[in-house]
């Protein structure tokens, strides 16, 4: 029998304890906050681990990292992409940006589907809070928006950038806005105080974050990540053949409590592997964000992490 959405994970909590039922969530938060902290060590401590922001940065002043979507927009708009470079490398900043985009794309293509969305994106802190609050308040009714809409938005952004010669998405990108706001805000907080620094850092872009939060809370469940975000759409395409996958390995033990469905930001990806007895138990959908929360909340230990080459558990 299905559990209430607001109680998702309670059985696992009682059965195995707090750490077991929250370990992937905690590790994700550590990852998200650690990456943010690596941006902040420069302005706060003078030790530059990551210089720049989530759109383009330099790791330890040597390794370039670029957002593939921003790089695509830049290329099709006819501009030269750049990342922050040390003074001795300034002339090579455009090549660093291209190399940085390739590095990021290859890394996410190799490991798992949408790792950026689950383990790096700072906006996940906002959307996860909206989803948690929605469950606790019992707000289950939702507008209907096709999950494929994000891919249409992605294509429209690329075409729009090519036609207008501008970075169309960067005008309204809440992921970049939140990242820049936090980095700039905390960077100024040492001299002006945390609250003043954050206000200075976010400026008018704070409305983007508020709109995403209210949209997820009041309009569409998992609306931003699950239906609209073109950044997630691109990372889904990039990581569709990633090696690491969630697997409903012990699906014969499923009690249909639906906790995993309630907690998953992309619940449609679990239905086939979990309930389709003639399908592979591997979650191979490019829409999975590899967050591991289904593993956390399952009291029957149905889910495990496997490689995409794993085939045990498939019924002949």
């Amino acid at each position: 029998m299905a559990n209430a959405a607001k109680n998702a994970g309670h059985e696992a909590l009682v059965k195995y304890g707090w750490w077991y039922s929250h370990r992937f969530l905690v590790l994700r938060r550590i990852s998200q906050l650690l990456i943010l902290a690596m941006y902040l060590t420069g302005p706060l401590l003078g030790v530059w681990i990551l210089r720049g922001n989530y759109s383009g940065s330099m790791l330890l002043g040597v390794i370039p990292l670029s957002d593939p979507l921003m790089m695509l927009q830049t290329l099709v708009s006819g501009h030269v992409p750049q990342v922050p470079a040390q003074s001795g490398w300034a002339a090579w900043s455009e090549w660093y940006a291209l190399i940085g985009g390739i590095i990021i794309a290859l890394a996410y293509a190799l490991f798992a589907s949408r790792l950026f969305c689950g383990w790096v994106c700072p906006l996940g802190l906002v959307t996860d809070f909206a989803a948690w609050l929605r469950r606790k308040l019992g707000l289950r009714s939702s507008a209907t928006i096709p999950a494929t809409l994000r891919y249409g938005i992605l294509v429209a952004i690329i075409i729009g950038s090519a036609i207008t010669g501008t970075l169309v998405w960067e005008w309204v990108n809440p992921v970049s806005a939140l990242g820049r706001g936090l980095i700039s805000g905390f960077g100024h907080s040492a001299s002006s105080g945390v609250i003043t620094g954050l206000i200075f850092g976010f400026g008018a872009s704070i409305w983007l974050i508020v709109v995403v939060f209210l949209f997820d809370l009041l309009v569409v469940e998992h609306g931003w990540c699950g239906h609209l975000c073109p950044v997630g759409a691109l990372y889904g395409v990039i990581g569709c053949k990633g090696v690491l996958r969630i697997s409903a390995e012990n699906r014969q033990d499923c009690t249909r409590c639906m906790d995993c469905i309630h907690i998953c930001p992309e619940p449609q990806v679990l239905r086939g592997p979990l309930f389709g007895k003639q399908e592979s138990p591997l979650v191979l959908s490019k829409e999975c964000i590899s967050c591991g929360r289904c593993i956390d909340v399952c009291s029957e230990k149905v889910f495990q992490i496997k490689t995409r080459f794993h085939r045990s558990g498939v019924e002949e």
Side-chain angles (χ1 to χ4, degrees):
M1 181 177 177
N3 294 329
K6 66 179 181 180
N7 296 325
H10 180 71
E11 291 181 0
L13 173 65
V14 172
K15 197 170 182 178
Y16 301 114
W18 189 89
W19 170 249
Y20 179 91
S21 60
H22 292 84
R23 65 197 190 282
F24 280 97
L25 177 61
V26 171
L27 291 174
R28 286 176 60 218
R29 292 293 176 263
I30 291 173
S31 174
Q32 291 163 327
L33 295 175
L34 182 61
I35 291 170
L36 177 61
M38 287 193 289
Y39 282 109
L40 296 177
T41 57
L44 292 179
L45 304 176
V47 179
W48 294 95
I49 299 176
L50 280 171
R51 181 189 293 267
N53 53 53
Y54 288 87
S55 296
S57 55
M58 291 287 291
L59 176 62
L60 300 175
V62 176
I63 302 174
L65 304 171
S66 304
D67 170 30
L69 180 54
M70 194 191 75
M71 188 183 70
L72 280 176
Q73 290 179 87
T74 305
L75 290 174
V76 299
S77 66
H79 296 288
V80 178
Q82 294 185 348
V83 297
Q86 302 290 358
S87 58
W89 297 97
W92 299 93
S93 59
E94 64 271 23
W95 291 105
Y96 262 48
L98 292 172
I99 294 171
I102 293 171
I103 289 173
I104 289 293
L106 288 177
Y108 286 121
L110 174 63
F111 288 108
S113 174
R114 291 180 62 187
L115 274 181
F116 175 84
C117 303
W119 295 80
V120 177
C121 180
L123 198 60
L125 300 168
V126 176
T127 57
D128 280 357
F129 178 59
W132 175 85
L133 191 58
R134 187 182 179 97
R135 290 193 302 273
K136 295 304 178 183
L137 295 176
L139 303 176
R140 301 302 294 172
S141 61
S142 179
T144 301
I145 298 178
T148 54
L149 179 58
R150 55 188 147 193
Y151 298 103
I153 294 174
L154 174 62
V155 172
I157 288 169
I158 300 302
I159 295 174
S161 295
I163 293 174
T164 64
T166 63
L167 307 185
V168 172
W169 180 238
E170 296 312 304
W171 288 94
V172 292
N173 184 354
V175 179
S176 295
L178 181 58
R180 285 194 299 265
L182 290 172
I183 293 168
S184 177
F186 280 106
H188 286 85
S189 66
S191 59
S192 59
V194 174
I195 301 300
T196 303
L198 288 174
I199 293 174
F200 176 86
F202 280 107
S205 66
I206 189 65
W207 70 269
L208 289 170
I209 315 305
V210 173
V211 167
V212 169
F213 174 77
L214 292 177
F215 180 74
D216 271 27
L217 178 64
L218 302 175
V219 182
V220 179
E221 186 173 7
H222 306 299
W224 175 253
C225 294
H227 299 83
L228 298 181
C229 181
V231 179
L234 180 58
Y235 277 115
V237 173
I238 290 172
C240 65
K241 299 299 182 181
V243 173
L244 298 179
R245 293 287 167 176
I246 303 294
S247 174
E249 187 69 10
N250 298 316
R251 61 188 177 188
Q252 71 278 359
D253 297 328
C254 175
T255 62
R256 293 182 178 260
C257 71
M258 306 303 284
D259 281 6
C260 58
I261 302 296
H262 292 321
I263 210 77
C264 180
E266 301 276 1
Q268 74 278 3
V269 307
L270 298 178
R271 296 186 183 277
L274 189 58
F275 303 127
K277 300 304 182 182
Q278 301 305 315
E279 296 184 31
S280 168
L282 291 169
V283 180
L284 295 175
S285 171
K286 63 181 178 295
E287 295 168 358
C288 175
I289 70 169
S290 304
C291 66
R293 283 295 281 150
C294 55
I295 301 176
D296 280 348
V297 302
C298 183
S299 62
E300 302 303 322
K301 297 187 177 181
V302 168
F303 298 97
Q304 298 177 15
I305 296 178
K306 299 291 184 179
T307 71
R308 68 178 301 110
F309 311 109
H310 184 73
R311 287 294 179 267
S312 70
V314 181
E315 292 187 6
E316 301 294 339

